[in-house]
Amino acid sequence: MDPLLPGIQGPEDIKGLTPDQLEQLCAEIREEIITCVSRSGGHLGASLGVVELTVALHRVFSTPTDKILWDVGHQAYGHKLLTGRRDNFGTLRRKGGVSGFPKQSESPHDMFGVGHASTAISAAVGYATARDTEGGDNSVVAVVGDGALTGGLAYEGLNNAGQMGTNLIVILNDNKMSISPNVGAISKYLTRITSGKHYNRLEADIWDLLGKVPHGSKAQKLAGRIKESLKQLIVPTILFEELGFKYFGPLDGHDLPLMVRTLEAVAKMQGPILLHCCTEKGKGYHFADHDGQRYHGVGKFDKAEGIKGDTAEFPS
């Protein structure tokens, strides 16, 4: 089959692809990231883990009108490939080449110049406030890793967004890693949520069913009131909903059709939304799959052999 990625000059080029073509595109993006990073060094594991999420975001939303903000930027290589920088991606991290992070001067699709974690939600609140002031209706989306939730600025953003009640989507990319495995109370809290999948599956099944029966919308409203009591029995104290967000998840962040459908649905909702996605750092490259910490940030390496010794790694 003919390759698709060389023909993608901007996000609009993926709008008309079939579901099978989207899956093919994901595979090509992963191969391009692995090939280029093996030659230049860079942040590998995080960008490999969000390929399906990245494709789904650009399938549903339309940047730069819609605003997608990537926390840290370690996750943004796929975003760069889909926003007109594929031909120059081989210059990654070289002088005058493609930046290793989102960079506003590099592309109108990079909404936020960022080099460290925990800042994207607050920046997204700023974009949402500006949109509301100007009477706009574009979407604002912040993509944050679970490691970013160890930083206090992330909670300032969540706190402000929940209090404002404005339309804003926060996507929590939960791979249980930052540069190294996460520790602390928030990490344990997210583990509790992701281990409670029976509740979340039950809730989704009931919600879909009630939407299909006669007078389903009324039944859904009733179910919403029942939901809070049920939740306290199975998943106590959902922090994000207490902060004013509608929480959805956890979802398989590698299930591309599911991610597209879910993003299409939440894009139509009002108020702050938090979408919790579970991904695997290093997905699609077996060396990184088995050692997400070592393949977080790498120097040049042989992609067929992986990192040998300790000389290929660089501080992140």
Side-chain angles (χ1 to χ4, degrees):
M1 63 183 70
D2 295 332
L4 296 170
L5 186 57
I8 304 298
Q9 299 302 311
E12 65 279 358
D13 293 328
I14 75 172
K15 305 293 187 185
L17 297 182
T18 67
D20 287 344
Q21 287 176 318
L22 290 176
E23 296 285 1
Q24 177 187 337
L25 180 62
C26 288
E28 292 181 22
I29 290 172
R30 279 200 170 89
E31 181 61 27
E32 188 78 2
I33 291 173
I34 295 167
T35 298
C36 289
V37 173
S38 71
R39 294 171 179 170
S40 65
H43 289 100
L44 183 61
S47 282
L48 291 178
V50 295
V51 169
E52 287 83 7
L53 173 58
T54 304
V55 170
L57 282 166
H58 282 296
R59 173 76 164 204
V60 173
F61 299 101
S62 296
T63 59
T65 301
D66 294 322
K67 313 300 181 185
I68 301 176
L69 294 90
W70 298 87
D71 205 288
V72 185
H74 295 169
Q75 311 171 86
Y77 288 179
H79 161 76
K80 287 174 179 277
L81 289 170
L82 293 176
T83 52
R85 286 166 277 186
R86 186 258 174 184
D87 290 344
N88 295 324
F89 196 66
T91 66
L92 180 70
R93 299 179 67 92
R94 298 177 188 172
K95 184 177 180 179
V98 173
S99 172
F101 299 91
K103 187 176 181 181
Q104 289 175 297
S105 62
E106 185 177 280
S107 170
H109 299 278
D110 289 0
M111 308 301 166
F112 181 48
V114 57
H116 220 284
S118 308
T119 54
I121 301 174
S122 290
V125 170
Y127 268 108
T129 300
R131 174 203 60 203
D132 296 345
T133 300
E134 296 173 356
D137 61 357
N138 58 289
S139 295
V140 179
V141 184
V143 185
V144 304
D146 51 311
L149 293 187
T150 61
L153 187 56
Y155 292 94
E156 289 188 28
L158 290 170
N159 181 54
N160 288 335
Q163 187 274 331
M164 291 167 55
T166 190
N167 294 344
L168 174 70
I169 300 170
V170 175
I171 297 178
L172 172 58
N173 170 38
D174 184 357
N175 60 22
K176 300 179 175 59
M177 292 279 289
S178 48
I179 295 175
S180 57
N182 288 323
V183 297
I186 293 300
S187 177
K188 292 179 181 178
Y189 172 74
L190 294 177
T191 299
R192 287 183 63 203
I193 294 178
T194 56
S195 65
K197 292 181 180 179
H198 294 297
Y199 161 73
N200 290 283
R201 189 176 299 116
L202 172 66
E203 179 187 350
D205 290 345
I206 292 175
W207 195 259
D208 289 342
L209 175 62
L210 290 175
K212 295 173 183 176
V213 301
H215 307 293
S217 61
K218 293 182 180 179
Q220 283 186 334
K221 290 179 181 177
L222 176 61
R225 291 195 292 268
I226 297 172
K227 168 186 166 184
E228 293 305 318
S229 297
L230 175 63
K231 186 182 300 177
Q232 293 305 318
L233 294 174
I234 307 176
V235 187
T237 315
I238 293 294
L239 171 65
F240 304 113
E241 294 198 352
E242 295 297 326
L243 286 171
F245 281 75
K246 296 174 185 174
Y247 171 92
F248 297 94
L251 303 176
D252 180 355
H254 299 300
D255 186 333
L256 182 56
L258 173 64
M259 293 307 303
V260 170
R261 292 196 307 271
T262 304
L263 289 172
E264 288 174 338
V266 300
K268 300 173 184 176
M269 295 181 178
Q270 300 296 305
I273 306 291
L274 191 135
L275 185 61
H276 186 176
C277 305
C278 296
T279 62
E280 298 175 19
K281 193 170 185 178
K283 176 78 172 179
Y285 184 52
H286 63 282
F287 294 112
D289 264 335
H290 289 89
D291 194 346
Q293 181 172 343
R294 193 176 196 194
Y295 283 84
H296 169 78
V298 299
K300 297 179 181 180
F301 64 95
D302 185 326
K303 70 175 185 178
E305 299 292 333
I307 296 172
K308 300 297 181 182
D310 297 324
T311 59
E313 297 184 47
F314 65 91
S316 301

